[in-house]
């Protein structure tokens, strides 16, 4: 629906993002509070919908919480916060049960013709089979179910094609008293009007920033909006240098970065060179089931060493019926592009996939700004450390949606002063753009130099070159933003350029190689930096964003 410009919409809770995190928390609040869920496009068009593999949880009798915790800590390369890891792991079975009760059609094992326990698969970094899934389209099953349940609630308003522009805070308005979030300015894309939304609580569930790279497995909406808005509102961010590249995206221009699930390797698929030679055993004793950072770097190394465009993933040694049964969507998509994975290897390359850092949030999702929460990929709770383990991402969304919802309900059970009237968006001093090509050019330049200079393998020289480029772009974007009316592309470009700088500055600060951050100048981990986060603070840092590396032994949100 369209709203006249300046109309002040009011809710108890405004949720920015409509994936598993956003819809998950909305459903847990809906019986008590009036909630709005913003989606940049159609409700389903986010990373949750396209997640293939599954959700990790301990169900196998030979598995344990301690084993899941140990695997996650190992993948995170010494940077995880163990309290966040243990909270997430121990609440995983409950999260799966909640989804099952909502109607998510998880795949079950079938023995003697009777369906019983969940079918569990295995992915990189996991020592046991513990990935619950709905064939090879788990995200689609979760997202469509959550949308269906959300549509049933009268207290949840689902606002499609609404793009958040910026958070509104007491400090920005010059109000007396402590700073707090008051709502957000939001672009109604159907009418090109900016709407003012008031809310006592705002939840960022907006996902990550992989669109900052030229090649990504993510849909177009992954433009770092929540991270950028939180930074501009005064929140700190952490560990932005740790951008995960999924090792296996189909190398096919017509596929637009179609992800090939890690579950294929869990079921025996082998990475190989064009001549059929396997290579992962030369990089890690776990071979094809090594964590994603190791596999992505190994593929990148082999491509550069041999001057090849891709490597290959081969599961054709498994029975054709097994492949079609376990990976029906991947098989069908590959077949439509001329690749029969039951008979031949398929070409794959790495692509940007997941943002391990983000807005600093505690175990209840609270950020530095009163009333503002961050959950899911937009947040940094310490769960993932220097590298996210496969199938812990949807799990994170569900677990922290529950803990944040409980905290918000406690908060709203106490009386609070009424929200002040918020000013309408003022665009009286700007004009329509006659130079849209500036946005298009800057967009292409940003994503290209981020891929070339701040990708899988980095160096100090490349990072300094990228920093110089991004500073120039930020100046041009700021000037454009102040003179012309905003639109979707400009908002996303502004956010991506800011997040790009946070990534670059964080990468320059970490003078070692750890997890997803690998630099040629410091190729080994520095033992003194184990358990140390890279934290950037907008309110105390000069314009060059000089980072401080501090111990996460302090609670999230508190520097030591």
């Amino acid at each position: 629906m369209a709203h006249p410009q300046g109309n002040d919409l009011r809710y108890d809770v405004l949720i920015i993002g409509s994936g598993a995190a956003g819809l998950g928390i909305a459903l847990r609040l809906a019986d008590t509070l009036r909630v709005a869920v913003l989606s940049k496009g159609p409700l389903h068009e986010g990373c949750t919908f396209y997640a293939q593999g599954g959700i990790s949880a301990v169900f196998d009798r030979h598995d344990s919480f301690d084993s899941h915790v140990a695997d996650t800590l190992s993948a995170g390369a010494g940077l995880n916060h163990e309290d966040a890891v243990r909270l997430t792991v121990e609440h995983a079975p409950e999260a799966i049960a909640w989804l099952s009760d909502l109607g998510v059609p998880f795949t079950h094992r079938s023995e003697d013709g009777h369906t019983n326990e969940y079918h569990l698969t295995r992915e990189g970094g996991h020592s046991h089979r513990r990935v619950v899934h709905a064939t090879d389209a788990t995200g689609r099953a979760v997202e469509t179910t959550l949308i269906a349940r959300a549509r049933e609630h009268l207290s949840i308003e689902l606002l499609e094609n609404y793009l958040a522009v910026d958070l509104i805070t007491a400090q920005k308005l010059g109000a007396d008293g402590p700073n707090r979030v008051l709502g957000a300015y939001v672009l109604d894309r159907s009418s090109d009007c900016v709407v003012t939304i008031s809310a006592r609580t705002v939840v960022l569930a907006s996902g990550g920033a992989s669109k900052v790279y030229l090649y990504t497995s993510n849909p177009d909406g992954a433009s770092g909006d929540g991270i950028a808005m939180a930074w501009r509102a005064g929140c700190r961010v952490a560990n932005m240098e740790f951008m995960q590249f999924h090792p296996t995206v189909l190398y096919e221009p017509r596929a637009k970065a179609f992800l090939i699930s890690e579950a294929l390797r869990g079921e025996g698929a082998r990475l190989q060179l064009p001549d059929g030679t396997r290579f992962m055993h030369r990089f890690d004793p776990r071979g094809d089931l090594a964590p994603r950072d190791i596999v992505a770097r190994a593929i990148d190394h082999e491509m550069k060493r041999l001057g090849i465009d891709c490597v290959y993933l081969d599961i054709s040694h498994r029975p054709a019926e097994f492949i079609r049964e376990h990976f029906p969507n991947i098989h069908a998509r590959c077949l439509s592009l001329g690749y029969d994975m039951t008979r031949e290897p398929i070409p794959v390359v790495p692509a940007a996939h997941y943002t391990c850092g983000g807005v600093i949030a505690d175990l209840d999702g609270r950020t530095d700004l009163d009333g503002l929460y961050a959950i899911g990929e937009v947040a940094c709770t310490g769960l993932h450390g220097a590298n996210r383990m496969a199938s812990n991402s949807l799990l994170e969304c569900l677990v922290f949606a529950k803990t944040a919802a409980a905290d918000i309900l406690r908060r709203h059970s106490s009386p609070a002063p009424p929200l002040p009237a918020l000013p309408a968006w003022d665009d009286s001093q700007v004009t329509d753009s006659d130079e849209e090509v500036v946005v298009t050019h800057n967009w292409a330049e940003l994503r290209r130099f981020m891929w070339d200079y701040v990708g899988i393998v980095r160096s100090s020289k490349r990072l300094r070159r990228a920093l110089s480029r991004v500073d120039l772009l930020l100046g041009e974007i700021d000037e454009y933003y102040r003179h012309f009316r905003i639109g979707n592309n400009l908002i996303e470009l502004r956010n991506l350029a800011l997040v790009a700088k946070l990534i670059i500055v964080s990468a320059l600060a970490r003078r070692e190689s750890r997890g997803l951050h690998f630099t040629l100048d410091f190729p080994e981990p520095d033992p003194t930096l184990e358990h140390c986060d890279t934290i950037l603070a907008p309110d105390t840092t000069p314009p060059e964003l000089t980072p401080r590396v501090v111990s996460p032994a302090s609670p999230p949100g508190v520097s030591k």
Side-chain angles (χ1 to χ4, degrees), residues 10 62 73 112 120 139 175 177 217 259 276 286 313 356 436 450-451 462 471 481 544 559:
R10 289 178 175 265
H62 300 295
L73 294 175
D112 301 323
L120 304 175
S217 65
L259 187 71
R286 290 164 289 189
L313 186 66
C356 287
E436 191 69 21
M450 286 296 291
W451 180 263
R462 294 174 193 170
D471 279 335
Y481 184 83
E544 287 304 311
S559 300

Side-chain angles (χ1 to χ4, degrees), residues 510-515 517-526:
R510 186 166 289 276
R511 296 165 68 87
E512 65 163 350
S513 290
R514 183 180 298 276
H517 172 66
F518 184 86
T519 170
L520 297 172
D521 297 285
F522 307 97
E524 299 297 328
D526 181 345

